[in-house]
Amino acid sequence: QLQLQESGPGLVEPSGTLSLTCTVSGASISTNTYYWAWIRQPPGKGLEWIGSIHYTGGAYYNPSLKSRITISVDTSRNQFSLRLNSVTTADRSIYYCARLGFIAARRGWFDPWGQGTLVTVSS
Amino acid sequence: QSVLTQPPSASGTPGRRFILSCSGGTSNIGSNAVNWYQQVPGSAPKLLIYNNNQRPSGVPDRFSASKSGTSASLAISGLQSEDEADYHCATWDDSLKGWVFGGGTKLTVL
């Protein structure tokens, strides 16, 4: 059974870098038909897609966050990671990783999701 | 401000049929498939409907969805207390070149 688990610091200082890793278990991340995604949710608010990456390294990002984001993949560890630079209190959110499956271009969906990890921005 | 518009809250009566709405535009819902996610309080979202109206295995057939023009809807028949959750719609946006979500609707079962 495919499972995803986020890990990383729960507290980041303002202007610092948020770094999270998603560990995939139960299946290989090196599957051509899937991308792997990061999504966040400020407590009590809606969901926001951050970006997605293929195991080959091809990634695409939310244009509103693109200047601050790097998503990378480590196939040897079956993991993918998120780095978000220059964080502010507005970046306080629950961060989820998820698999992005497709049946055709622009016909994709996020499933399953990790349990999520809350990241707070504070000094 | 979410790209897709959902009413922030709604309530329904057990046993009745309930419909949640999701409104967008020509660059998102009007052009692409819609997915729905259910998020029970304190838990991660779970895929409920994909590709406009397809149910993943394990999702009860009480849940159905449809799309018309730039709007989509999720229907829940025989509403149950366990259906109390947040429901999020999502799709690809051709103009923004990214995946977009609605703000979510918090469904309360009275």
Side-chain angles (χ1 to χ4, degrees), chain A residues 41 60 63 106-108 110, chain B residues 32 35 37 39 51 96 99:
Chain A
Q41 182 178 35
Y60 59 112
R106 311 196 312 265
R107 287 181 179 265
F110 301 104
Chain B
N32 300 299
N35 307 311
Y37 300 90
Q39 185 176 27
N51 195 28
L96 297 175
W99 298 98

Side-chain angles (χ1 to χ4, degrees), chain A residues 39 41 45-49 52 60-63 96 100-103 105-116, chain B residues 2 31-33 35 37 39 43-47 50-52 56 88 91-92 94 96-104:
Chain A
I39 298 154
Q41 182 178 35
K45 297 190 178 180
L47 298 162
E48 179 181 35
W49 170 72
S52 300
Y60 59 112
Y61 303 136
N62 185 324
Y96 296 100
L100 174 57
F102 292 89
I103 55 171
R106 311 196 312 265
R107 287 181 179 265
W109 54 88
F110 301 104
D111 178 58
W113 298 56
Q115 66 182 30
Chain B
S2 301
S31 305
N32 300 299
N35 307 311
Y37 300 90
Q39 185 176 27
S43 297
K46 168 194 159 187
L47 181 66
Y50 67 98
N51 195 28
N52 294 325
H88 307 270
T91 187
W92 176 263
D94 292 336
L96 297 175
K97 292 184 171 43
W99 298 98
V100 294
F101 290 88

Side-chain angles (χ1 to χ4, degrees), chain B residues 14-90:
Chain B
R16 303 293 292 269
R17 177 179 167 88
F18 192 85
I19 296 178
L20 294 88
S21 65
C22 175
S23 177
T26 54
S27 65
N28 43 67
I29 293 179
S31 305
N32 300 299
V34 177
N35 307 311
W36 290 88
Y37 300 90
Q38 179 192 57
Q39 185 176 27
V40 173
S43 297
K46 168 194 159 187
L47 181 66
L48 195 64
I49 298 285
Y50 67 98
N51 195 28
N52 294 325
N53 55 19
Q54 305 298 302
R55 280 188 311 277
S57 60
V59 173
D61 59 7
R62 301 188 296 106
F63 294 91
S64 61
S66 62
K67 187 184 87 166
S68 178
T70 59
S71 294
S73 60
L74 173 71
I76 310 174
S77 59
L79 200 60
Q80 300 179 3
S81 58
E82 67 199 52
D83 299 332
E84 197 162 277
D86 292 332
Y87 292 86
H88 307 270
C89 57

